[in-house]
Amino acid sequence: MKIQNDARYAKSDEWVRVEGGVAFVGVSDYAQGKLGDVVFVGDISVGSTLKAGDVLTSVESVKAASDVYTPVSGKVLEVNHEVTAKPELLNSDAFGAGWLAKIELSNPDELNGLMSATDYAEYRKE
Amino acid sequence: MQSIERNRFSFIPATGDEQQAMLQKIGLQFDDIVKCFAGNSCVEGGLHLPDGLTEDQMVEYWDTMMSRNSGPRKASLLGAGAYMHFIPAVVPHLASLPGFVTAYTPYQPEISQGTLQSLFEFQSFMVELTDMELANCSMYDGASSTAEAMLMAHRVKKADRVLVAATVNPNYLATVRTYLEPHGIAVDVVRMDGNGRVSMEDLELQLSASACSAVLVQSPNYLGIIEDLGAIGTDVHGHDALFVESFTEAMALGLLKYGVGTGADVVVGEGQSLGLSMSFGGPHLGVFATLKKYNRDFPGRIVGESIDTKGRQAFVMTLRAREQDIRREKATSNICSNHALNALTAAVYLGSVGESGFRALACENVAKLQKLISGLEATGNFTRVFKQSPVFNEAVLASSIAPEDVRSRLAGLPVFPPLALARGVAPDVQGMPHTYLVCATEMLKDSLLEQVLGALS
Amino acid sequence: MTLYEKSVAGRSAFSFGFEEDRAAAEACVPEFAHATVKPLPQISELDLVRHFTNLARTNYGVDTGFYPLGSCTMKYNPKINERIAADPRLTVRHPLDDATDNQGVLQMEFELKESLQEITGMDDFTLQPACGAHGELTGMLIIHAYMRDHDAKRTKVLIPDSAHGTNPASASMAGFQVVTVPSNERGGVDMDALDKLMDDTVAAIMLTNPNTVGLFEENITQIAELVHARGGLLYYDGANLNALMGLIRPGDLGFDVVHLNLHKTFATPHGGGGPGAAPVGVKKFLADYLPIPVVVCRDGQYTLDENRPHTIGRMSGFYGNTAVLARAYVYIKMMGRDGLLATSRAAVINANYVKALLGPYFPPAYDRPVMHETVLSAKGYDKYGVTLLDISKRLMDYGYHPPTIYFPHFPPYAEEVMMVEPTESESKETMDLFCDALIKISQEAKENPDLLLSAPHDTVVTRVNETYAARHLVTSHRDKKGT
């Protein structure tokens, strides 16, 4: 199971990483392993305002469909069109090229309520 | 508990001795296994059903029962949602092959290529005939397909209102209402104009009144009249609703324009005319075709082409994440079983009649109806209503002859008599207070047509 | 190769005596006619016959071999049913023709209705629904309408975590909010959880009995009392009725609405996914809500009655899948009172027998006698790098259709469970041979796991790539031409 050390994690297997004042959001390597080959990533509307825990999008594999919940509140600034066109990026590079959305944080304190990389690795230890 | 010693049921191979041997291996007696029933109300003294019949007794009982139907029937002047067409011998022959009939849903593709490929071919034919981008591998029937299309439109557009043309088959409208009722979606009816078609004026009025998710128009409509789908499609898209085209007579697909060319978002309808008997109303065949942009929203199973480990062509069910076993309460529909064997039958039928055969049959239907109408008008007892409007193989005629009289005049002939319409469905005609929806297909051979005209003179 | 790929311009399989002028007909509707002939195959009759005959041979059916799909009841489809359902005196009937001309068909439907009432202990039936999910939707719409009239704040439905996916999907389609009830360690409904969840916002509980793990719901009478006492109704998913006929009836257990799967319990063929039929039975107080029309008998005359003041309306264009109903009718008439009881008894014995044979290799999910199907676990095999999917693909090499896999999904067995339902149709030898094959495969998993990972080898296609299908979506011939 790959883990990104500078990211924070939600119990529902989403990660968030702040880079240059903007939050990148995606699903963890553990989550993509459980899903299997991803075949579809649903639309996300740029400009929409979300609360932590809202449904960001849904992700589909051949045998499952999962809702992805945003771990942080804020406005969606950008959507990763590469991953919509090539959903397999979510499997191969869940923390890198497989990012889903860039969010402008409305409440940066929320990050403290999420798990650290170590805690998440413990939580998902098999 | 009762014990059954004799084994005279040919469908249960286990003898009493074998069952005893199995119970020994299990280590329990039957009464122990069903101990879990204790404390609940069990059947005492057996079900109140008669003794079972043997095969020969069953055939005799069935014969006596079937003799209580009228018959035989070689043609039908009755349409209105179910149609009598010619079924080539090769169709039931291939559709009854045990490999197709006794197979389950193709969840294990490696041993279900027969079902999967046949359904892929059905989907391919439906895409061509409806002129859409993807078709599922069947739903139950035209009415429930139509209702599911309305639910899909609601999922996509979210407005709690749909418009349905007054000229849609009344059973289809009733089914749409039943399906939409628990979701609080209003079903508003668009009026008919003086020519038996959707009133473009009322359509525009209703579309402008408030948002709606879908507009449903049937063509040929319930009165047999061909609607101007292209004009309606343009109007609907001006108002951001889904345009749902429906049909009850699949034979019309052989000749008429539907689909992308007329602005459709969904084409749904009844495929019974494609090689299936009427069978007193079922099982028939729901057709559902739509655009690729709705490929996460549509209901029903769909088969896709793929490859196996050796790169060979292989078929498999795909886009499964929409379905009930994965999505559960968030599924696009609850549909699980469909009408796969009937879809296969339709695929065989279309393969049998071929592209020119299908078009020729559709034209034969048009011509037969025209010949019947001319003949009936010539008797002086009938006149066509909505004369200006184009029809396919059904039309409304007014008559001076009452329904009971029509039935008794036709009683000696092997035809289903036409549907007597209720008063008010079509405009009144002086001296001809009764109206009928009259159908003619390729089954109405000239010799029988002459006899019908003779009886109704 | 598909039919389109085999087409040759000018070939035809069609023979018909056209009498009319085609050009004149084309001229009748010029502005609405499709400009060109829509593309369909052009193929000779022999090629058509070979095409489908060979396709049918690549399919595995009940007629081919053992088909132990749990919860599907793949029993033998008697051929006398096929002969009778193909009777032209039945197939020619137009549904809108006068009832007086259809007394034979209507008599068959009425007698079927009465038999189903007796078998289930319910008071009235609709024969309209086309399959299980359609029946569930019908039943839940009836409950929704009843609650709308009597207690509109009841907007929730309780459904066990082990339920078939159609249950929550149907409840949702009927306008309800779904609330999941957990199962206890014995595999039944957790009574404490039920006690907390069953309140005055709940309209009904949907139950399958025996449940989807093949176990009889021991507390069913208490569940019924609890739910009724708090104003709710009980819905019965009849998928597993094959275990109970002549022994116990859902109506007597307190169920208010019931659906049956004629394509399971009553031997009508599955046809590769349908058509089936799923009559829905109700207790008297709900009879007015049934979809119309309903077959009734008055003074020896059969008619289609539309006088149901609170009807939910229509679920389909006509009255149900008559040709499928006819097959079930013949099955019930030929089995009779004793045959139906013998059927359920044999089904239960067979499932327990298979459980006894396979138990040492694939531990049963629950340490209790089962009903007509058994759930067995393959969890221990992952240490050889082998999953249940691999085991099931290897079974195909032995000439069998695998059992149901990865269902139901719920703890503690999570995913690696298979559901085996032999049905009463199978002989002891068939079951012995099947179990031998599975036991052999369990050995192969330890000694030569590659055989399983690369399975199936002996089928017409090897493992089909589902990811490829989803990522390169081709669902019609037109899609192929486009790429």
Side-chain angles (χ1 to χ4, degrees):
Chain A
M1 181 181 78
K2 286 191 256 176
I3 204 96
Q4 180 93 13
N5 288 322
D6 60 346
R8 307 286 290 177
Y9 295 79
K11 280 211 158 89
S12 44
D13 303 306
E14 295 89 5
W15 57 261
V16 55
R17 184 179 77 236
V18 181
E19 217 172 277
V22 149
F24 280 76
V25 165
V27 300
S28 68
D29 186 69
Y30 170 86
Q32 70 78 23
K34 282 275 144 191
L35 269 171
D37 294 329
V38 177
V39 299
F40 178 75
V41 175
D43 289 332
I44 303 171
S45 27
V46 175
S48 56
T49 312
L50 300 168
K51 280 191 337 284
D54 281 351
V55 173
L56 178 66
T57 183
S58 70
V59 161
E60 263 177 45
S61 67
V62 286
K63 57 173 181 156
S66 266
D67 285 332
V68 176
Y69 306 97
T70 172
V72 288
S73 310
K75 191 164 80 173
V76 177
L77 295 172
E78 210 184 306
V79 164
N80 184 0
H81 293 295
E82 267 212 58
V83 85
T84 326
K86 289 177 71 194
E88 51 268 37
L89 283 174
L90 227 145
N91 295 118
S92 58
D93 196 4
F95 293 111
W99 65 270
L100 290 171
K102 279 193 209 166
I103 296 183
E104 179 186 67
L105 292 173
S106 59
N107 184 3
D109 289 333
E110 283 171 340
L111 293 169
N112 300 328
L114 298 169
M115 287 186 270
S116 68
T118 342
D119 289 341
Y120 180 71
E122 188 61 39
Y123 168 64
R124 283 307 187 197
K125 189 170 66 180
E126 301 225 275
Chain B
M1 297 280 170
Q2 290 171 288
S3 72
I4 310 291
E5 270 109 318
R6 41 187 193 139
N7 177 33
R8 64 178 181 82
F9 308 112
S10 56
F11 307 145
I12 304 171
T15 61
D17 287 346
E18 282 174 338
Q19 287 193 325
Q20 269 316 303
M22 289 196 274
L23 286 167
Q24 252 164 20
K25 175 72 187 171
I26 295 166
L28 293 169
Q29 283 307 304
F30 186 76
D31 286 354
D32 299 318
I33 296 173
V34 297
K35 214 168 41 188
C36 50
F37 292 169
N40 298 298
S41 183
C42 297
V43 174
E44 297 297 334
L47 293 170
H48 298 126
L49 289 174
D51 280 340
L53 299 178
T54 58
E55 188 170 320
D56 57 313
Q57 290 167 338
M58 185 69 236
V59 169
E60 209 189 306
Y61 190 94
W62 178 262
D63 274 341
T64 310
M65 199 160 63
M66 285 299 112
S67 67
R68 297 185 68 189
N69 296 331
S70 65
R73 296 282 178 256
K74 290 194 162 60
S76 183
L77 304 174
L78 173 56
Y83 304 91
M84 192 170 180
H85 288 290
F86 177 71
I87 301 175
V90 80
V91 175
H93 167 79
L94 292 172
S96 60
L97 289 172
F100 293 135
V101 173
T102 68
Y104 188 63
T105 303
Y107 288 125
Q108 299 286 1
E110 297 80 16
I111 48 179
S112 315
Q113 287 299 295
T115 296
L116 288 164
Q117 182 170 331
S118 309
L119 293 177
F120 179 86
E121 309 210 41
F122 169 76
Q123 286 166 194
S124 299
F125 301 156
M126 290 305 103
V127 160
E128 293 301 341
L129 294 179
T130 61
D131 191 23
M132 294 299 277
E133 295 174 352
L134 66 84
N136 71 21
C137 62
S138 79
M139 310 208 52
Y140 317 133
D141 71 344
S144 54
S145 242
T146 304
E148 292 254 21
M150 307 307 266
L151 288 177
M152 176 182 124
H154 183 253
R155 281 195 294 279
V156 172
K157 290 294 183 188
K158 320 256 191 262
D160 288 337
R161 179 173 176 249
V162 297
L163 299 182
V164 176
T167 50
V168 162
N169 180 299
N171 288 353
Y172 282 43
L173 174 55
T175 305
V176 166
R177 286 195 193 282
T178 302
Y179 271 63
L180 266 51
E181 200 277 336
H183 306 287
I185 304 169
V187 179
D188 290 336
V189 176
V190 181
R191 284 207 311 269
M192 186 176 86
D193 68 11
N195 290 316
R197 299 165 108 189
V198 171
S199 157
M200 293 303 290
E201 215 187 292
D202 196 40
L203 176 64
E204 179 53 42
L205 211 71
Q206 296 234 32
L207 278 169
S208 308
S210 67
C212 71
S213 289
V215 174
L216 170 67
V217 175
Q218 177 185 320
S219 182
N221 66 24
Y222 182 60
L223 305 173
I225 293 165
I226 302 169
E227 299 273 8
D228 190 345
L229 295 175
I232 296 168
T234 308
D235 201 0
V236 172
H237 287 299
H239 292 268
D240 191 35
L242 259 56
F243 183 31
V244 179
E245 295 175 355
S246 73
F247 59 89
T248 58
E249 170 50 298
M251 186 62 75
L253 299 174
L255 179 63
L256 302 179
K257 269 191 294 219
Y258 290 87
V260 164
T262 55
D265 290 287
V266 191
V267 178
V268 284
E270 179 52 67
Q272 176 262 314
S273 292
L274 305 175
L276 299 169
S277 310
M278 295 189 288
S279 286
F280 201 61
H284 290 172
L285 175 60
V287 174
F288 193 108
T290 187
L291 301 173
K292 285 191 181 163
K293 65 179 173 178
Y294 302 120
N295 71 7
R296 252 74 200 176
D297 304 305
F298 74 96
R301 293 181 178 141
I302 195 162
V303 174
E305 191 189 51
S306 186
I307 50 175
D308 73 352
T309 60
K310 300 186 176 157
R312 296 176 292 199
Q313 182 187 55
F315 298 92
V316 69
M317 293 198 294
T318 191
L319 294 179
R320 299 260 291 115
R322 300 160 301 117
E323 294 187 54
Q324 44 74 31
D325 53 328
I326 291 175
R327 274 298 200 177
R328 296 175 76 90
E329 62 266 22
K330 293 187 189 159
T332 55
S333 166
N334 69 345
I335 189 167
C336 184
S337 290
N338 50 24
H339 278 197
L341 191 65
N342 286 4
L344 185 150
T345 307
V348 176
Y349 173 82
L350 290 168
S352 166
V353 303
E355 64 179 40
S356 55
F358 195 49
R359 182 122 177 166
L361 276 171
C363 291
E364 183 84 350
N365 274 249
V366 169
K368 282 291 180 189
L369 179 70
Q370 293 304 316
K371 187 179 257 179
L372 181 64
I373 291 173
S374 310
L376 286 172
E377 287 191 317
T379 65
N381 296 325
F382 293 85
T383 188
R384 224 198 112 192
V385 179
F386 307 123
K387 273 194 217 301
Q388 274 82 304
S389 304
V391 287
F392 180 68
N393 67 3
E394 291 186 271
V396 179
L397 281 92
S399 178
S400 48
I401 311 178
E404 318 75 55
D405 199 4
V406 166
R407 289 186 67 83
S408 61
R409 285 168 183 242
L410 292 174
L413 296 175
V415 295
F416 288 106
L419 184 71
L421 291 170
R423 284 225 57 200
V425 172
D428 285 343
V429 172
Q430 185 76 296
M432 297 198 176
H434 311 286
T435 47
Y436 298 91
L437 181 62
V438 179
C439 177
T441 72
E442 75 279 11
M443 297 298 278
L444 190 61
K445 295 292 193 179
D446 283 343
S447 52
L448 186 52
L449 202 156
E450 290 307 315
Q451 289 180 287
V452 166
L453 294 176
L456 294 172
S457 300
Chain C
M1 275 182 82
T2 64
L3 279 174
Y4 273 127
E5 289 162 347
K6 290 179 182 174
S7 276
V8 172
R11 287 222 182 115
S12 168
F14 195 41
S15 163
F16 188 81
F18 293 99
E19 293 179 332
E20 307 301 323
D21 185 323
R22 178 166 161 183
E26 294 258 8
C28 279
V29 290
E31 69 271 54
F32 302 108
H34 194 260
T36 56
V37 175
K38 296 181 188 180
L40 286 174
Q42 298 183 77
I43 193 152
S44 72
E45 187 168 312
L46 179 55
D47 283 341
L48 185 73
V49 169
R50 286 188 175 147
H51 183 83
F52 283 101
T53 302
N54 286 305
L55 278 179
R57 287 170 59 215
T58 68
N59 249 22
Y60 187 98
V62 173
D63 280 9
T64 316
F66 191 44
Y67 217 127
L69 271 181
S71 261
C72 299
T73 313
M74 298 299 286
K75 64 172 72 185
Y76 173 60
N77 310 128
K79 304 318 170 197
I80 181 62
N81 297 358
E82 299 305 306
R83 172 177 283 188
I84 283 181
D87 185 337
R89 293 171 295 184
L90 175 69
T91 61
V92 81
R93 308 313 317 165
H94 192 299
L96 298 175
D97 194 23
D98 210 80
T100 53
D101 290 320
N102 288 301
Q103 289 298 294
V105 183
L106 292 172
Q107 177 184 341
M108 181 272 289
E109 294 199 353
F110 185 78
E111 288 186 8
L112 175 65
K113 207 166 86 83
E114 294 213 299
S115 310
L116 296 178
Q117 280 159 213
E118 175 58 21
I119 291 166
T120 57
M122 305 303 283
D123 298 325
D124 206 346
F125 262 88
T126 169
L127 302 176
Q128 215 177 102
C131 72
H134 206 212
E136 288 172 26
L137 179 61
T138 304
M140 296 313 289
L141 284 172
I142 288 171
I143 293 175
H144 192 267
Y146 179 82
M147 289 302 170
R148 177 203 62 214
D149 292 345
H150 292 83
D151 197 349
K153 69 177 180 309
R154 292 183 184 266
T155 56
K156 300 197 196 117
V157 166
L158 304 181
I159 300 181
D161 51 9
S162 57
H164 191 275
T166 50
N167 286 180
S170 302
S172 200
M173 259 177 104
F176 289 111
Q177 184 198 337
V178 172
V179 175
T180 308
V181 185
S183 303
N184 60 26
E185 67 291 342
R186 277 180 67 72
V189 168
D190 182 330
M191 294 303 286
D192 290 329
L194 178 64
D195 187 33
K196 291 197 182 75
L197 292 169
M198 185 58 220
D199 62 24
D200 63 2
T201 63
V202 173
I205 184 167
M206 289 179 88
L207 291 175
T208 313
N209 196 9
N211 61 21
T212 57
V213 292
L215 300 173
F216 186 77
E217 190 67 64
E218 299 167 305
N219 297 318
I220 182 61
T221 299
Q222 291 94 291
I223 294 171
E225 275 164 8
L226 179 82
V227 171
H228 282 148
R230 296 187 194 174
L233 297 178
L234 273 85
Y235 179 92
Y236 180 74
D237 179 331
N240 292 334
L241 190 76
N242 208 42
L244 306 182
M245 293 189 289
L247 295 166
I248 207 164
R249 306 191 307 173
D252 298 336
L253 295 176
F255 286 96
D256 302 294
V257 182
V258 151
H259 92 259
L260 301 175
N261 300 63
L262 300 190
H263 46 293
K264 296 185 181 194
T265 319
F266 297 97
T268 77
H270 281 77
V280 168
V282 294
K283 289 289 171 67
K284 226 185 309 250
F285 74 97
L286 293 171
D288 279 347
Y289 288 86
L290 285 173
I292 51 169
V294 182
V295 187
V296 298
C297 184
R298 291 193 186 110
D299 306 319
Q301 274 288 105
Y302 299 98
T303 48
L304 291 165
D305 179 29
E306 296 198 2
N307 181 24
R308 297 281 158 146
H310 302 288
T311 181
I312 58 171
R314 287 182 180 269
M315 296 299 293
S316 69
F318 298 112
Y319 325 127
N321 290 346
T322 310
V324 177
L325 300 173
R327 290 169 169 90
Y329 171 77
V330 172
Y331 178 75
I332 292 170
K333 271 218 100 54
M334 286 182 66
M335 295 311 270
R337 172 196 56 247
D338 295 340
L340 294 175
L341 172 61
T343 295
S344 288
R345 196 170 176 277
V348 169
I349 291 172
N350 283 4
N352 280 281
Y353 180 63
V354 163
K355 174 169 168 276
L357 291 179
L358 292 176
Y361 306 90
F362 298 94
Y366 298 94
D367 187 22
R368 281 168 65 186
V370 294
M371 296 281 92
H372 66 309
E373 62 191 4
T374 178
V375 175
L376 304 171
S377 170
K379 203 155 190 198
Y381 293 91
D382 57 356
K383 62 176 175 282
Y384 307 113
V386 148
T387 64
L388 183 56
L389 183 72
D390 302 316
I391 293 169
S392 68
K393 297 299 182 191
R394 182 65 179 147
L395 255 175
M396 293 179 200
D397 287 336
Y398 281 81
Y400 293 106
H401 191 288
T404 306
I405 54 174
Y406 302 120
F407 178 80
H409 333 276
F410 70 108
Y413 290 88
E415 286 127 36
E416 299 290 302
V417 288
M418 60 178 159
M419 242 198 320
V420 185
E421 180 183 354
T423 83
E424 73 285 0
S425 299
E426 304 300 338
S427 67
K428 187 172 171 297
E429 312 88 78
T430 305
M431 290 186 283
D432 288 341
L433 285 170
F434 171 76
C435 293
D436 280 346
L438 250 184
I439 291 166
K440 216 175 259 149
I441 293 172
S442 73
Q443 284 296 112
E444 286 176 354
K446 297 179 189 139
E447 292 158 13
N448 193 357
D450 273 328
L451 269 178
L452 281 70
L453 294 169
S454 55
H457 312 97
D458 303 330
T459 46
V460 67
V461 296
T462 54
R463 229 180 265 208
V464 182
N465 192 328
E466 301 195 25
T467 305
Y468 184 93
R471 289 190 182 155
H472 307 87
L473 207 54
V474 171
T475 62
S476 67
H477 182 75
R478 196 187 261 197
D479 272 351
K480 293 182 64 166
K481 285 188 336 206
T483 47

